């Protein structure tokens, strides 16, 4: 006599599951930034050990940026083909291996090689997270969702000095820092593979929340499994909106990456000891974290008051571009805390502006093209950052950091003008895309 069949296990839905998914993207971004900031925190010690100039250090940073710039477009297209789950898994696994391998570096060339590999893997994070937000969040909430995952960059940047310096002083060597921080990605990968599925098929998503998520997608995005909806690169580059997003990222991201890559060296160049200014090192990153959520909240509030989605995003972008100009004031200041305050206001405004620009592809394009556009803008940002990094090394060695800060205060204003001129409101954009 056969034993009775056990009833199928009923899986209880998780309330507000989309925010747990957003938390996964946040954690990925935190780890992403810890891995890339490990070198920046250790840079003052490595410069002494290997007798690097600022131009030498710039070459290492550029190696990362070249791979990151090239990889962004490729990663975006890959993610649109294979999906968020597989694409992000490949990216995080690759850059975690590269981060650990950096512990084997023995000089300028090997550091350049391992940072190149790290950049190639990390290129998938922002296109993947942006694509995930477009799949999991209605547009009236996407500002908050992008703010959540993008805030991981500032949290990771704030955590990295504490963690990396603790490892460095505990082990008396910089090599364990790369091994330990690199291993964080493997833990995230296990969690992500276990928990993440698209909203159409996620077993823990309630029917009500699934309907809520899918109801706000434009009709051209409704069928997430129809690959024919993907717009080709030539088509995307023929749209002025695409160029508005690319140029905005190209002009503003170098300002942020100057702070993440050079802030420790900048403080030392101004006569401050890194260990004594550790709290000051945190402040711009924590301010950026506040900026992410301030932008998400402000744009969502404006949309609830009846503003068009595009108009709300642009309003935040313009205000924040003006706020970023305060970074130039640090040139004439000698007090550590006033300098830190200038950087903090600038990074707060940058993060808010960045959150809005990151939202634009999800606002405008079909789901199957969001990662591609995000990747293109990341490539543009990478190219701009490579040029800015090279010039930073040369100008800092020959003159000082002062001219760099002055120029950094001006380019966000140009970016805001470009967005206003090229990125049309969502209604006009929808009509344009429907004609393609």
């Amino acid at each position: 006599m056969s034993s009775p069949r056990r009833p199928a296990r009923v899986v209880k839905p998780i309330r507000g599951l989309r925010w747990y998914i957003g938390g996964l993207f946040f954690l990925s971004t935190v780890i992403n930034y810890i891995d890339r900031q490990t070198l920046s925190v250790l840079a003052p010690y490595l410069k002494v050990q290997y007798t690097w100039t600022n131009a030498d250090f710039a070459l290492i940073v550029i190696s990362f940026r070249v791979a990151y710039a090239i990889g962004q477009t490729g990663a975006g297209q890959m993610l649109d083909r294979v999906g968020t789950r597989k694409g992000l898994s490949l990216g995080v696994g690759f850059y975690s291996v590269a981060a650990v391998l950096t512990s084997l570096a023995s000089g300028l060339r090997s550091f350049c090689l391992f940072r190149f590999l790290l950049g190639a893997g990390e290129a998938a994070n922002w296109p993947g997270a942006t694509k995930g937000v477009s799949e999991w969040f209605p547009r009236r909430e996407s500002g908050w969702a992008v703010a959540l995952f993008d805030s991981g960059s500032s949290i990771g940047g704030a955590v990295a000095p504490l963690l990396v310096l603790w490892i460095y002083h505990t082990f008396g060597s910089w090599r364990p820092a790369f091994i330990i921080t690199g291993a964080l990605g493997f833990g995230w990968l296990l969690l992500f593979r276990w928990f993440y599925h698209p909203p159409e098929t996620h077993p823990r998503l309630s029917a009500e929340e699934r309907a809520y998520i899918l109801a706000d997608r434009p009709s051209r995005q409704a069928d997430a499994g129809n690959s024919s909806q993907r717009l080709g690169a030539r088509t995307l580059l023929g749209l002025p909106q695409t160029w508005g997003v690319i140029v905005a990222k190209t002009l503003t991201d170098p300002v942020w990456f100057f702070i993440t890559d050079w802030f420790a060296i900048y403080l030392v160049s101004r006569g401050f000891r890194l260990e004594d200014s550790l709290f000051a090192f945190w402040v711009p990153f924590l301010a950026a974290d506040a900026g992410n959520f301030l932008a998400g909240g402000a744009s969502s509030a404006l949309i609830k008051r009846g503003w068009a989605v595009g108009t709300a995003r642009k309003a935040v972008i313009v205000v924040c571009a003006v706020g970023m100009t305060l970074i130039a004031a640090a040139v004439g200041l000698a007090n550590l805390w006033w300098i830190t305050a200038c950087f903090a206001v600038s990074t707060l405004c940058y993060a808010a502006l960045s959150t809005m620009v990151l939202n634009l592809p999800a606002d405008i394009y079909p789901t199957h093209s969001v990662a591609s556009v995000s990747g293109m803008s990341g490539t543009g940002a990478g190219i701009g950052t490579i040029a800015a990094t090279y010039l930073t090394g040369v100008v800092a060695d020959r003159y000082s950091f002062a001219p760099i800060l002055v120029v950094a205060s001006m380019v966000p204003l140009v970016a805001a003008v470009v967005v206003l001129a090229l990125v049309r409101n969502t209604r006009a954009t929808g009509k344009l895309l429907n004609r393609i």
Side-chain angles (χ1 to χ4, degrees):
M1 181 176 179
S2 60
S3 59
R5 178 181 294 180
R6 292 183 179 180
R9 182 184 176 188
V10 177
V11 180
K12 184 179 179 181
I14 298 175
R15 185 176 180 182
L17 179 61
R18 64 192 183 281
W19 294 108
Y20 290 88
I21 297 296
L24 284 175
F25 299 140
F26 165 79
L27 288 176
S28 173
T29 307
V30 170
I31 294 169
N32 182 290
Y33 254 76
I34 290 175
D35 283 346
R36 73 171 68 179
Q37 284 299 103
T38 299
L39 177 69
S40 298
V41 174
L42 294 171
Y45 307 111
L46 293 170
K47 283 183 65 182
V48 172
Q49 180 175 339
Y50 292 103
T51 63
W52 293 336
T53 63
N54 285 324
D56 291 331
F57 180 70
L59 287 177
I60 299 174
V61 176
I62 287 172
S63 298
F64 174 92
R65 297 297 170 204
V66 168
Y68 195 75
I70 296 171
Q72 287 267 291
T73 295
Q77 293 176 348
M78 178 269 292
L79 280 151
D80 279 334
R81 287 189 177 92
V82 306
T84 305
R85 188 170 188 266
K86 184 181 292 185
L88 265 184
S89 297
L90 290 171
V92 174
F94 188 92
Y95 80 65
S96 297
V97 171
V100 172
L101 288 177
T102 308
S103 64
L104 302 177
S106 58
L108 184 63
R109 291 183 180 179
S110 54
F111 268 103
C112 287
L113 170 63
F114 291 127
R115 294 302 283 187
F116 182 90
L117 295 175
L118 183 74
E122 290 202 347
N125 188 77
W126 264 259
T130 303
K131 180 178 176 64
V133 166
S134 74
E135 294 171 346
W136 272 92
F137 290 86
R139 285 185 296 178
R140 56 183 170 272
E141 292 181 349
S142 64
W144 284 109
V146 170
L148 176 62
F149 87 73
D150 196 37
S151 70
S153 59
S154 49
I155 294 296
V159 170
L162 272 180
L163 177 61
V164 172
L165 288 177
W166 175 80
I167 296 170
Y168 175 77
H169 289 299
T170 298
F171 291 93
S173 170
W174 54 266
R175 297 184 190 276
F178 288 101
I179 296 173
I180 294 171
T181 56
L184 296 174
F186 298 120
W188 179 90
L189 191 56
L190 292 174
L191 178 63
F192 182 72
R193 296 292 297 180
W194 169 70
F195 192 69
Y196 184 87
H197 299 279
E200 290 83 358
T201 60
H202 203 296
R204 303 299 297 272
L205 182 64
S206 69
E208 293 78 11
E209 187 173 4
R210 182 178 288 109
Y212 175 73
I213 292 169
L214 300 180
D216 195 44
R217 288 186 185 175
S219 59
R220 65 180 184 274
Q221 297 178 356
D223 183 6
N226 185 359
S227 61
S228 66
Q229 294 178 14
R230 187 183 306 119
L231 302 178
R234 182 176 296 181
T235 300
L236 292 171
L237 290 173
L239 297 172
Q241 291 86 343
T242 303
W243 286 104
V245 176
I246 291 173
V247 173
K249 289 283 286 180
T250 300
L251 293 178
T252 56
D253 271 27
V255 180
W256 169 250
F257 288 125
F258 165 74
I259 297 171
T260 63
D261 292 333
W262 295 91
F263 193 44
I265 294 174
Y266 174 75
L267 291 178
V268 172
S269 75
R270 295 296 303 270
F272 304 109
R273 188 168 172 267
L274 186 57
E275 285 82 358
D276 296 336
S277 55
L278 189 59
F279 183 75
F281 193 93
W282 291 354
V283 172
F285 294 98
L286 296 177
D289 192 42
N292 290 125
F293 291 101
L294 180 63
S299 65
S300 294
L302 292 174
I303 292 168
K304 286 182 179 179
R305 292 191 176 190
W307 288 43
V309 173
T311 304
R313 309 291 195 217
K314 290 175 185 177
V316 176
I317 287 171
V318 170
V319 171
C320 292
V322 174
M324 287 180 69
T325 62
L326 192 62
I327 195 173
V331 172
L333 300 172
N335 181 275
L336 173 63
W337 300 111
W338 281 113
I339 292 172
T340 302
C342 291
F343 274 84
V345 172
S346 183
T347 55
L348 183 149
C349 291
Y350 162 79
L353 186 152
S354 176
T355 297
M356 294 298 94
V357 174
L358 286 169
N359 261 285
L360 294 178
D363 290 339
I364 295 171
Y365 300 94
T367 296
H368 275 301
S369 299
V370 169
S372 295
V373 177
S374 179
M376 290 175 183
S377 69
T379 295
I383 293 171
T385 303
I386 290 166
T389 300
Y390 174 76
L391 292 173
T392 296
V394 172
V395 172
D397 278 338
R398 294 184 181 181
Y399 305 101
S400 69
F401 283 100
I404 299 164
L405 296 182
V406 172
V407 173
S409 71
M410 298 177 181
V411 291
L413 298 175
V414 179
V417 171
V418 169
V419 169
L420 292 176
L422 297 182
V423 180
R424 303 172 185 176
N425 63 54
T426 48
R427 182 177 300 174
T429 300
K431 292 180 180 178
L432 180 63
L433 288 171
N434 286 331
R435 292 200 301 268
I436 295 175

